[in-house]
């Protein structure tokens, strides 16, 4: 296939481009700067601009673009920026998919769509939550409507917490554990819907290549764990004890409203992937951490 990827320079996008090319797909990367390589096309989602030939001949578009949700403390302006940037980019992509008649759009979203679900398992048919992140995900996903209305097969990639050898979740946690500062967050009972980077990329490819998959797809491992279980497993994988407890009130002082994303969670299950026969390379957290830490 000829696959156009927006957000190709991020953690997931970089690996996805490599994986698609390994699978002998042709990749075109959308970049916000002046294109500098034959496989690059320019776009400016804020201005609603896309190079005229960017989607020409495309069989699928993958939209992973948008600022990191947990990169900065939330305040009213940051929340507006997160919402505006992700929704606007998706609107531009969806309209272009419709205009060019591209058959498939795989658009990023997040398991934050479900809000805080406690220990209750949630699938792709579960309702949305009521917090800010859930509302952002609803608006984000709704922005794909022009593509769906034009007949495209739209896949909503509700990603969990991606475990990678560098960057992502472990990029933030490994330095703390190395200094013996690792510990559970709050009660530790909140679920962490993890997935390895290898499985994240493979699942996106699987969704692109499988015509039976459309609508929301939970990109999560088949065995989500609680924060306490995750903390213990990561400490064992790194050979570092993690005896500490970070109280919820301390997180809220340091992170503000963003702390709620760490103190709540979703026991999200990859029902659609499993129903369609997707085979996880790392079906357990231990396997995912071993791959990511080289141990």
């Amino acid at each position: 296939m000829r696959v156009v990827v927006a957000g190709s320079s991020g953690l997931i996008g970089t690996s996805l481009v490599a994986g698609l090319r390994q699978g002998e797909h042709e990749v075109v990367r959308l970049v916000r700067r002046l294109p500098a390589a034959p496989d690059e096309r320019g776009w400016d989602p804020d201005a609603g601009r896309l190079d005229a030939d960017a989607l020409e001949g495309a069989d699928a578009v993958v939209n992973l673009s948008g600022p990191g949700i947990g990169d900065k403390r939330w305040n009213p302006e940051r929340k507006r920026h997160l919402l505006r940037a992700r929704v606007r980019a998706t609107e531009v992509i969806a309209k272009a998919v419709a205009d060019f008649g591209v058959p498939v759009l795989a658009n990023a979203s997040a398991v934050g769509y479900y809000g805080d679900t406690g220990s209750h398992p949630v699938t792709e048919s579960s309702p949305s939550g009521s917090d800010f992140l859930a509302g952002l995900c609803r608006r984000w996903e709704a922005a794909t409507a022009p593509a769906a209305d034009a007949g495209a097969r739209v896949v909503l990639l509700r990603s969990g917490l991606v475990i990678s050898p560098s960057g992502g979740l472990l990029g933030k946690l490994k330095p703390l554990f190395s200094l013996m500062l690792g510990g559970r967050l709050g009660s530790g009972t909140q679920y962490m819907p993890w997935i390895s980077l290898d499985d994240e990329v493979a699942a996106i490819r699987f969704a692109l290549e499988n015509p039976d998959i459309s609508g929301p797809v939970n990109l999560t491992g088949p065995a989500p764990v609680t924060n306490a279980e995750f903390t213990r497993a990561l400490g064992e994988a790194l050979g570092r004890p993690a005896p500490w407890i970070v109280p919820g009130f301390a997180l809220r002082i340091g992170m503000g409203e963003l702390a709620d994303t760490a103190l709540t969670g979703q026991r999200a299950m990859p029902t659609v992937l499993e129903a369609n026969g997707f085979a996880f390379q790392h079906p357990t957290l231990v396997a995912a951490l071993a791959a990511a830490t080289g141990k």
Side-chain angles (χ1 to χ4, degrees):
M1 293 189 295
R2 181 180 175 89
V3 184
V4 178
V5 180
S8 62
S9 61
L11 175 69
I12 298 170
T14 300
S15 294
L16 177 63
V17 168
L20 287 170
R21 287 175 172 160
Q22 186 177 13
E24 300 186 353
H25 298 301
E26 179 186 357
V27 178
V28 174
R29 297 179 294 143
L30 296 184
V31 296
R32 300 183 187 226
R33 51 173 170 75
L34 189 68
D39 67 338
E40 295 181 349
R41 301 293 185 274
W43 79 314
D44 182 350
D46 292 334
R49 183 186 63 79
L50 188 68
D51 280 0
D53 63 341
L55 270 60
E56 185 175 339
D59 298 295
V61 175
V62 181
N63 177 27
L64 304 174
S65 63
I69 289 174
D71 290 352
K72 296 180 180 180
R73 185 185 178 104
W74 288 354
N75 58 33
E77 177 54 33
R78 178 63 179 173
K79 290 163 73 172
R80 284 193 295 271
H81 174 66
L82 290 172
L83 180 61
R84 182 173 58 248
R86 291 181 178 272
V87 171
R88 181 56 177 158
T90 301
E91 288 173 342
V92 173
I93 290 288
K95 182 179 183 302
V97 165
D99 291 344
F100 281 84
V102 181
V104 182
L105 169 61
N107 203 81
S109 184
V111 292
Y113 173 92
Y114 305 108
D116 181 19
T117 64
S119 61
H120 181 70
V122 292
T123 69
E124 289 84 354
S125 61
S126 297
S128 182
S130 58
D131 58 15
F132 165 73
L133 185 54
L136 184 154
C137 289
R138 287 196 301 273
R139 293 273 301 275
W140 193 3
E141 294 183 0
T144 64
D149 292 343
R153 175 169 65 90
V154 175
V155 182
L156 304 171
L157 305 170
R158 293 179 181 167
S159 289
L161 300 167
V162 179
I163 297 177
S164 163
S166 61
L169 180 64
L170 292 196
K172 297 178 180 179
L173 294 180
K174 284 169 67 175
L176 295 175
F177 277 72
S178 298
L179 295 172
M180 305 292 189
L181 296 177
R184 79 168 197 245
L185 305 179
S187 69
T189 59
Q190 66 274 30
Y191 270 81
M192 299 180 65
W194 60 271
I195 185 171
S196 74
L197 179 60
D198 289 338
D199 282 330
E200 173 89 0
V201 169
I204 295 173
R205 286 183 54 189
F206 185 77
L208 289 175
E209 297 165 356
N210 191 328
D212 294 328
I213 295 179
S214 64
V217 178
N218 288 342
L219 300 188
T220 59
V225 299
T226 65
N227 174 261
E229 292 168 330
F230 184 95
T231 300
R232 182 167 57 251
L234 179 56
E236 292 174 355
L238 296 175
R240 294 289 190 273
W244 310 108
I245 299 174
V246 182
F249 75 87
L251 274 179
R252 289 190 172 93
I253 291 173
M255 300 172 63
E257 186 181 351
L258 181 58
D260 289 339
T261 63
L263 295 171
T264 61
Q266 305 80 28
R267 192 177 181 181
M269 309 303 297
T271 306
V272 170
L273 288 176
E274 291 183 320
N276 284 276
F278 179 75
F280 285 89
Q281 183 176 344
H282 304 119
T284 67
L285 176 62
V286 170
L289 289 175
T293 60
K295 298 184 179 183

